[in-house]
Amino acid sequence: MSSTKVPAAALAAVLLLVATAVSGAHWDHAVDLDENYRLLWSINNQDITFEVQARTLGYVGLGFSTDGSIYGADVVIGWVDNGQVHFQDRHFKMNSNGEPHVDPSQDYVLLLGYENATHTVLRFRRKLDTCDTNQDVPITNDTIRIIYMYHNRDPKNGAQAIGTLPDPAEAFKDSVPIFLTQRVNQVPIELDSRTRTLELRNKDVEIPMGDDNLRWCKMFKLDQFVRKQHMIRYEPVIESRSNLPFMKHIILYECQGSTPELEIMSREFGRSCMKAEKELLTCNSIVAAWSRGSE
């Protein structure tokens, strides 16, 4: 084994270049999926570049799902072990036991990976449509469910075999709906007599004490439309920025048909979604989705 001494000036230049590469990236979008996990991304033609910044010194994962479950989801797993970056394109099988399998086709390109005293950072790129129809989920103009994972331990020795990823069920945190291909710096719309604005608001919802999450469901009954209407834009209505830290996401679903249960819900103040699961079985088409950090 041979070694080469690097002059101090050259080493300083290398470190400077690395620091510039890390801090000089421009991101069109950023969202905090939770207090420990930040996702940044930009789209350039048919490529999408992500950066994950996770408060952990173990492995992290970012995945894409059509329905929010892990089954059939596309996921990338990465970690840093003794300065070496390990990075794997994986997928969950439809009958998965909770651990993703390594793809035969590795369709993600690692651009940067490192960890400091508190965080693991991974930057990588993929095609919007990788053409891997068996293991990858295409990123389209539809709302997609983002799966995110992190754990405080690394797999050993860059292992790829099933059973070597520490506690994947524990590492899985949640799935969040995000419109990844949203445009940047949208200009205000000039309203005219043909345009209507609908505001669908929740009123004075009391958030629970402690760390419990609240999924709140409110039913809205729209007017009857006598002719076809086109939705041209949507955005969140948040009355006070002090409410923002408590907001995770807002999803607007379309309900098919009209039942007595839906009619009753439309007259209510709202209720915990846990108490409305039966009534909402027909409400499964996503019309709009917003997550904290989205436009």
Side-chain angles (χ1 to χ4, degrees), residues 261-273:
E261 291 81 8
L262 295 181
E263 184 69 33
I264 291 172
M265 279 196 68
S266 70
R267 300 172 186 172
E268 292 180 350
F269 173 77
R271 65 173 90 164
S272 166
C273 298

Side-chain angles (χ1 to χ4, degrees), residues 76-95:
V76 63
I77 301 289
W79 66 95
V80 182
D81 185 10
N82 293 323
Q84 181 178 357
V85 183
H86 300 272
F87 186 75
Q88 301 166 351
D89 181 3
R90 294 185 175 221
H91 67 281
F92 289 95
K93 293 184 177 293
M94 293 304 296
N95 57 350

Side-chain angles (χ1 to χ4, degrees), residues 7-81:
L11 181 59
V14 170
L15 293 176
L16 177 62
L17 286 174
V18 171
T20 303
V22 171
S23 61
H26 169 75
W27 301 105
D28 294 329
H29 310 284
V31 59
D32 292 326
L33 299 181
D34 68 17
E35 65 275 10
N36 297 314
Y37 195 110
R38 167 164 282 200
L39 177 65
L40 308 99
W41 75 96
S42 293
I43 295 177
N44 183 19
N45 296 322
Q46 296 303 307
D47 291 340
I48 183 166
T49 302
F50 295 99
E51 182 166 300
V52 170
Q53 302 171 355
R55 191 190 304 272
T56 182
L57 299 183
Y59 72 89
V60 300
L62 177 71
F64 309 98
S65 168
T66 55
D67 60 5
S69 73
I70 63 171
Y71 304 108
D74 171 23
V75 64
V76 63
I77 301 289
W79 66 95
V80 182
D81 185 10

